[in-house]
Amino acid sequence: MAFAATTLKVLIASPSDLKEERDAAEGAIAEWNSIHAETERVVLLPVRWETSVFPVANQRPQSAINQQIVDRADILIGLFWTRLGTNTGVAISGTVEEIDRFVAASKPAMIYFSERAVSPSAIDVAQFASLILGTTFDGAGAAEGSDLHKASDLATMLELQLGMGEGLAYFNLKSVEQRDRVRQNNAVVVARVERLLSREMERSREIVTRFRAAVERIADILVEKAIIEGDEVRRIIRETSR
């Protein structure tokens, strides 16, 4: 019997190496619909880039995907395994750009990592490194007040107000909004801020790589206990650095 329902589009977003997981996600959505759609009066409609997008001439490929399915979707399920994806010119990968747009629009985005076994010989080392060390989720970018926005604001202060950047000239900037406007209108300032952030990003990568074993042990403790004392952090670093 027919019934009235709200249709929610669910975007299944992932790099190309996760077709099996995309199929599984679509199957799980179909199962949810068969069990719950009528009683909940909600139908989940899965959309995927390989089945729901058509090419558009003279348009950035990811822009076409954004217009046709990303911006029209209500929920995002993001999947990752061994690849982050291909740089779009706007974000480090198409999947990351899609997640960024969802975060900016305050729409729900759920991220999952596949635990499927993989042959080491099949891993693209550069892609895997970007996935492990270069992801920018949980507020790292895309919105005002995000980690990346705060880092850009602090870098602007270092460059223009605290005499700790490439120049010593002082700018009387009293608010985050004023510093944002300077970056928007001054290409020289943007370049200086970008160089500073890039240097610190590389330094962060080196630190994480050097202390990877310690980072993983600390992360495990945080997952289990949600808190860790400073003395324990120092002990773990000492033990894993021997």
Side-chain angles (χ1 to χ4, degrees), residues 8-15 18 20-30 32-33 44-50 69-70 73-81 94-96 98-100 102-103 107-114 137:
L8 299 177
K9 292 184 177 181
V10 181
L11 174 62
I12 303 173
S14 80
L18 280 164
E20 290 183 29
E21 281 76 5
R22 291 195 299 276
D23 291 342
E26 188 167 346
I29 290 171
W32 188 95
N33 284 332
L44 302 180
L45 179 64
V47 291
R48 298 163 56 169
W49 58 266
E50 66 263 63
I69 61 172
V70 177
D74 303 288
I75 302 168
L76 181 145
I77 297 175
L79 307 172
F80 292 96
W81 185 30
T95 305
V96 171
E98 291 160 10
I99 294 168
D100 283 347
F102 257 73
V103 172
K107 294 192 291 186
M110 296 166 285
I111 312 302
Y112 301 92
F113 289 83
S114 175
F137 304 137

Side-chain angles (χ1 to χ4, degrees), residues 155 157-168 192 196 199:
M157 292 177 63
L158 291 172
E159 288 289 341
L160 302 183
Q161 295 180 267
L162 301 178
M164 300 174 68
E166 296 179 13
L168 295 176
R192 287 168 57 179
L196 176 55
R199 288 195 301 271

